[in-house]
Structure formats: C-alpha cells, structure tokens
Amino acid sequence: MIILTTLPLFWIMISASRGGHWGAWMPSSISAFEGTCVSIPCRFDFPDELRPAVVHGVWYFNSPYPKNYPPVVFKSRTQVVHESFQGRSRLLGDLGLRNCTLLLSTLSPELGGKYYFRGDLGGYNQYTFSEHSVLDIINTPNIVVPPEVVAGSEVEVSLLHFVPTREANGHRLGCQAAFPNTTLQFEGYASLDVKYPPVIVEMNSSVEAIEGSHVSLLCGADSNPPPLLTWMRDGMVLREAVAESLYLDLEEVTPGEDGVYACLAENSYGQDNRTVELSVMYAPWKPTVNGTVVAVEGETVSILCSTQSNPDPILTIFKEKQILATVIYESQLLLELPAVTPEDDGEYWCVAENQYGQRATAFNLSVEFAPIILLESHCAAARDTVQCLCVVKSNPEPSVAFELPSRNVTVNETEREFVYSERSGLLLTSILTLRGQAQTPPRVICTSRNLYGTQSLELPFQGAHRLMWAKIGPVGAVVAFAILIAIVCYITQTRRKKNVTESPSFSGGDNPHVLYSPEFRISGAPDKYESKRRLGSERRLLGLRGEPPELDLSYSHSDLGKQPTKDSYTLTEELAEYAEIRVK
C-alpha cells in the first residue's frame, strides 16, 4: 500500500529579542526538491547603541570568513553574486527590520551546502554569524518514520496518522509531493518495521507413537523481533532457542514420555503458548494381583488384577481354560467368589492384551477345608498280602491313621515302616500293607483330620476271591504237588502189590500242624523277599512309586473260625506216608 502526501514548506519565524548583542536564528537544516525553490528563514540582531542609518547584509556559501573568498549568494550593497547563484537568489526579508530571509530558486544539486549570513552596519560594525543552515537538495520525499512502530498503537508519519497491524510489517509507505500549476512531482517510499508479539502459527496436533519409535514435535511462531521458543513438559525446560521454528526430537519414546508438551513463544512485546499431547502406545505391563490368596471354605474371596497399557487392555481371568471374569478397555478387573469351595482351589491366570501385545500373570488360590476321604479308598488282597488305600482331599495337609478294630491296633502315617504316603496337590494317598492269611477280610478304618475337622471311613474290601490263595497258602501248594506224586506212585505200587505204610507225620487223628503263629506280630514274616516282589506288582497297579513297607499279619486257624479240611491240608491214609517220603 502506497500513501501519498504533499510536503509543505516550513517557515521558521523566530521573534528577535532586543537583547543588545550580535545573534542570528535560522533552521539548522532544510531540504528542498531539485528544480524547485526554497526559503531559508532568518532573523538577526545587533547592539542597540549602534543605531545604523542603513543595514546591509551578505549571504556566503560554505564558509563564514570573507578572507577565504567564499561564493557570495546575495549581497545587498552591490548585488554582485557568484555565477552559480545569478538569477537564482534574492532577499525576501527587510534588513532594516532585522529579517534576513533568503530565497533560492531553480535548485540544482550543486547548491546543496552550508549558508552563512553576515551583517554589515557600516565601518567596522560587520559581523558574520556562526549560526548557519544546511540545504539538502533531494529528488524524493524524505519520509521520517518513528523509531518504533508497534502493531495496534497509533503512529504519525509525515502528517499521516494510522494504526499499523502485524500484516503491515515490511510493507512500503509511499509519499508523493506535487506542485500546483507545474509538472513537478516527487515520490518517495519507506519500509515499515512494525513490532508485534509472537503468535504460534505452526504446531503438531495430537501425536500417537508406538513405544520405541522416533517422535519429532514442531513449534513455529510469527513475531517481530524473532521470538524465544521454549519446549516444556511439567514445568521442565526441554529445549529453547531464538528462532522462528524449533523441533523437539524424542528418540525411542517410552510410556514415561507420554503426556502434554507445551511450546512458549515470547519477545519484548508479548508471548503466546500452545500444547500438544503425545500418546505413547504400548503393550500391557505384566499384571499385578492384589487380594486374598488363602481362604477358608465358605468365605468370600475378592481378587483384583490390574495392569497398565495404551490403549487400555482387555483383562481376563482364567482357571483351567475357563473364563471366570473379563472386562474390555479397563486397567483393573475384580474377581469375586462369594463362597469358596475346594473346587475353587488351584492356579488362576490374569491375562491382559491389546493390539500391541499380551502379558499374563499366574496366581494361586488356596482354599482350606476339612478332610474328605474319597470313595476310591479301599482294601485289596493279593496272595498273602492285603493293601489298604486311603485317598484324602484336604487343605492343609491332614494326618492319616489306619485302625484295625479286631486287633485293637492303630497305625499312624508317621510309622513309615508300615504306611507309605504321597501328596499330590490337595490329594494325600496313604497305603497300609498287611501280610498274613485270614479266612475273612480284616476290618480297616481310615481316619483323617486337620485343624478344620475329622472324617473316618471303614474301607471296603475289593476282590474277595483273591483270599482263596491265602486260605491254601504255600504249604497247600506243596501238599497238592505231593498228592500228584503220590497218586502216580500209588498206581505203580499197586501194580507191584506192595504195601505202603502210613507216614507218622500225617496221622489222621489230630489236626495238622499250625501253619502260622497264633499271635499278631509286626515284621519277621518268612519269605520276605518274595512278598516284596509281589507287593511291587500290586503297587504298580495302584500307580505308586517305590516299595511300600509291610505289616505282617498272621492268623491261627481258630482266628479263621474253622478247622482246615482234610481235602485242603492232609492226604488219605493210604498215600500219606509215601507222599511225605517223596516230598522230603
């Protein structure tokens, strides 16, 4: 935008004071367009006592001393002037009235310089005044701009009043001087330096970045003079510089750098600030579990699983691949079990996942309850061995005891030579091993207890037909073998018609010898190695490891409730003696 104006001619009229001394008043500098005319206002004074009849005066160019023969611009006595000023200078003032105003016309560049006035009152009363005026011949208007132009504040430039804006900064202000009834016209321009406070004009919008990536935040501001740009976070200066724009580079961003960043722009005229939010996206952290981990059966259990991620995760609590609770886009999940049972005991998993990854944490819930003897508890026979299995579910671990009421005997699990125990999770398996032969299965009661209660169960006997071998026993096997041999020999002897005498060891009048001790005893049973070998096979069927201890349990025939039959334990009188001889 060009603003044109007309420059007036200024006449400085200084009233002369009659102070009784030599003195002059004129403008120190004056400008005029080439080809135009200019008036140099001038007033002078001299002592009152001189009272001259006529007052004369001389204008010199560039020097006040006549002895230097400076060019004469105007001389009232002779009208003789330097050739440069011929026809171009005349006196406008009345020297008698102490007015020395000079008019110069048809100005050209060589007329630019210093102009001095000399008063001539006659005789020795002549005086060259030191005051002078400097004439500047110009071709364009001289636009005088104030040293400081602030946006929004009124300013005056060459009689022009206006309120500049920040948009006017750097624009040119034009001035045109035109003289009526002539072709003379002059134009001049000046650039405006408008000062204004910063305005942030460039900045990132909200930024999302994946953990570990590079992030660059930009802040740019417009101001005059240039602003001081500062990047800040939580009141801490991260970077600053005097510049129109400033980058903040973040290498391998972490969740800890997530947050709001502020850019502050300021100079001596004001300030501006803006913020940008950086959101760092990352996979869930390993979940933490706070809550009850040990509870008594029937109590209410609350377990809180929490994590941190961006965006918020899907949280799920599992137990044995079964979903118990889940929430979407939440950082916490509460699992409530109103009345826990032993079935709630075990390992749980809290899993947190979003599109950037998955993390999981395992935790255990321990439910404490009174012992429960499971139905798979029983006794079983194998040859001359009886094994009793007592399976107990309990927390904390219970004590187990086996009771034989008929013998008034109780065997605790601590008696390791008779009872083998093994725990797996909440299950405690105890095995009592009995050695000996009985006509009927023994009664065995398993009792289990912990601090929450006691339970007893008479163990059922499985596989009663297995006692058949126990009834016959190893001696019966020898007798059966002897009978077979005796029959063969009897047939042979009959053919030879020889008599066979009856063996005194198998007389038919008395009961056969007692095969087992009539007293219940622990340890000392015969053929122990063979018994252990058979028990090892039985334990493998039960899924147990190692060799269990043994408890020898022998019964007399009276304990079995009846006498052995002749078929089971003796031979006929005809074969007895021979069979005994052959067996020996």
Side-chain angles (χ1 to χ4, degrees):
M1 177 176 68
I2 300 176
I3 301 176
L4 304 177
T5 185
T6 301
L7 293 178
L9 297 176
F10 293 93
W11 288 87
I12 302 178
M13 303 302 294
I14 304 176
S15 298
S17 62
R18 300 183 181 275
H21 63 275
W22 296 96
W25 295 267
M26 65 187 70
S28 59
S29 64
I30 190 168
S31 297
F33 292 111
E34 182 180 359
T36 66
C37 61
V38 65
S39 173
I40 301 177
C42 176
R43 296 287 290 181
F44 70 98
D45 197 10
F46 52 85
D48 292 338
E49 64 270 16
L50 296 180
R51 299 180 182 277
V54 179
V55 177
H56 290 280
V58 181
W59 279 94
Y60 291 117
F61 181 66
N62 280 341
S63 177
Y65 305 110
K67 62 180 181 180
N68 293 334
Y69 302 101
V72 176
V73 178
F74 174 81
K75 189 172 184 179
S76 62
R77 282 183 181 273
T78 62
Q79 301 294 322
V80 177
V81 298
H82 189 270
E83 61 182 356
S84 300
F85 296 96
Q86 290 181 357
R88 304 171 74 176
S89 62
R90 65 186 178 93
L91 191 67
L92 291 180
D94 186 348
L95 296 178
L97 299 177
R98 306 181 186 188
N99 187 335
C100 53
T101 300
L102 177 68
L103 175 64
L104 298 175
S105 59
T106 316
L107 297 175
S108 59
E110 65 271 16
L111 299 185
K114 297 178 181 179
Y115 289 81
Y116 295 88
F117 178 71
R118 179 180 177 84
D120 182 4
L121 304 183
Y124 292 102
N125 295 320
Q126 298 182 20
Y127 187 83
T128 300
F129 298 97
S130 61
E131 291 85 355
H132 64 277
S133 183
V134 178
L135 176 62
D136 185 19
I137 309 301
I138 59 176
N139 289 316
T140 59
N142 183 20
I143 302 176
V144 179
V145 179
E148 184 176 74
V149 178
V150 181
S153 299
E154 186 178 17
V155 65
E156 180 182 357
V157 178
S158 300
L159 302 180
L160 175 66
H161 292 261
F162 66 100
V163 178
T165 63
R166 66 174 57 243
E167 290 77 17
N169 181 49
H171 288 194
R172 292 197 308 167
L173 181 66
C175 174
Q176 184 183 76
F179 294 86
N181 302 321
T182 69
T183 60
L184 296 176
Q185 181 174 304
F186 301 92
E187 293 182 355
Y189 301 91
S191 294
L192 291 177
D193 183 18
V194 181
K195 309 297 184 181
Y196 54 92
V199 174
I200 296 178
V201 296
E202 186 177 13
M203 195 168 184
N204 305 78
S205 57
S206 296
V207 177
E208 289 187 358
I210 300 175
E211 181 180 10
S213 64
H214 173 267
V215 174
S216 183
L217 302 179
L218 171 63
C219 178
D222 174 38
S223 72
N224 187 27
L228 172 65
L229 294 177
T230 305
W231 276 107
M232 305 176 68
R233 179 170 181 259
D234 297 333
M236 179 181 297
V237 175
L238 303 177
R239 190 184 181 194
E240 63 179 2
V242 176
E244 294 182 353
S245 62
L246 183 64
Y247 281 95
L248 177 63
D249 292 316
L250 303 174
E251 302 290 343
E252 299 182 354
V253 292
T254 65
E257 294 174 294
D258 187 287
V260 177
Y261 291 76
C263 176
L264 175 64
E266 57 184 337
N267 63 13
S268 55
Y269 298 94
Q271 66 177 24
D272 189 20
N273 66 84
R274 287 177 59 184
T275 61
V276 58
E277 183 174 1
L278 172 61
S279 182
V280 179
M281 318 302 285
Y282 58 97
W285 292 359
K286 186 176 179 64
T288 58
V289 177
N290 297 319
T292 304
V293 293
V294 177
V296 179
E297 182 179 12
E299 289 184 345
T300 298
V301 172
S302 296
I303 297 175
L304 180 65
C305 175
S306 60
T307 186
Q308 182 176 326
S309 70
N310 191 14
D312 285 332
I314 298 175
L315 274 173
T316 307
I317 294 181
F318 294 88
K319 183 177 186 289
E320 297 176 354
K321 298 183 180 181
Q322 179 181 358
I323 297 177
L324 302 180
T326 186
V327 291
I328 298 176
Y329 306 137
E330 297 286 345
S331 60
Q332 293 184 338
L333 174 59
L334 180 64
L335 173 65
E336 290 189 338
L337 303 174
V340 292
T341 65
E343 285 68 29
D344 295 319
D345 189 285
E347 184 180 59
Y348 292 72
W349 284 89
C350 180
V351 180
E353 60 181 330
N354 62 15
Q355 61 264 45
Y356 299 103
Q358 180 188 87
R359 295 296 299 273
T361 296
F363 63 95
N364 289 294
L365 172 60
S366 178
V367 179
E368 297 186 343
F369 54 94
I372 301 173
I373 300 178
L374 304 186
L375 296 180
E376 55 260 37
S377 301
H378 66 279
C379 291
R383 297 178 64 87
D384 61 346
T385 301
V386 173
Q387 286 189 327
C388 293
L389 181 71
C390 186
V391 182
V392 182
K393 187 175 184 181
S394 174
N395 190 20
E397 183 176 348
S399 62
V400 175
F402 293 93
E403 181 183 359
L404 283 71
S406 61
R407 291 296 177 182
N408 194 24
V409 173
T410 299
V411 183
N412 296 318
E413 62 175 337
T414 56
E415 300 180 54
R416 300 299 184 184
E417 63 270 28
F418 312 123
V419 178
Y420 176 84
S421 295
E422 183 175 277
R423 185 174 178 85
S424 176
L426 298 179
L427 295 181
L428 176 66
T429 302
S430 293
I431 299 176
L432 173 67
T433 302
L434 304 177
R435 291 215 43 206
Q437 298 178 5
Q439 183 71 14
T440 59
R443 288 182 61 216
V444 179
I445 298 174
C446 176
T447 300
S448 178
R449 61 170 51 87
N450 65 11
L451 58 91
Y452 297 107
T454 302
Q455 186 179 26
S456 297
L457 177 68
E458 182 173 346
L459 303 181
F461 201 96
Q462 296 181 357
H465 61 281
R466 296 185 180 179
L467 288 178
M468 185 67 71
W469 185 252
K471 293 180 181 179
I472 297 175
V475 177
V478 175
V479 172
F481 181 70
I483 292 174
L484 179 60
I485 296 176
I487 292 173
V488 175
C489 294
Y490 174 74
I491 295 173
T492 304
Q493 294 296 329
T494 302
R495 289 179 180 178
R496 296 179 180 179
K497 295 181 180 180
K498 293 184 178 180
N499 294 327
V500 179
T501 60
E502 183 179 351
S503 173
S505 301
F506 289 89
S507 59
D510 297 325
N511 289 333
H513 300 293
V514 176
L515 303 179
Y516 298 95
S517 170
E519 300 297 332
F520 172 81
R521 68 183 185 278
I522 298 176
S523 75
D527 199 13
K528 186 172 183 179
Y529 174 80
E530 180 64 23
S531 298
K532 284 189 176 182
R533 189 163 57 121
R534 292 195 298 271
L535 288 176
S537 300
E538 181 68 11
R539 284 180 54 77
R540 284 192 293 273
L541 294 175
L542 294 173
L544 300 174
R545 300 186 300 273
E547 293 295 331
E550 300 174 350
L551 179 63
D552 283 346
L553 182 62
S554 300
Y555 297 91
S556 66
H557 290 295
S558 59
D559 293 328
L560 296 175
K562 64 176 183 177
Q563 298 294 331
T565 61
K566 185 177 182 180
D567 293 336
S568 300
Y569 293 96
T570 61
L571 299 175
T572 60
E573 292 183 359
E574 294 82 1
L575 302 178
E577 181 178 359
Y578 185 79
E580 183 180 13
I581 295 172
R582 298 295 294 177
V583 172
K584 291 180 180 179

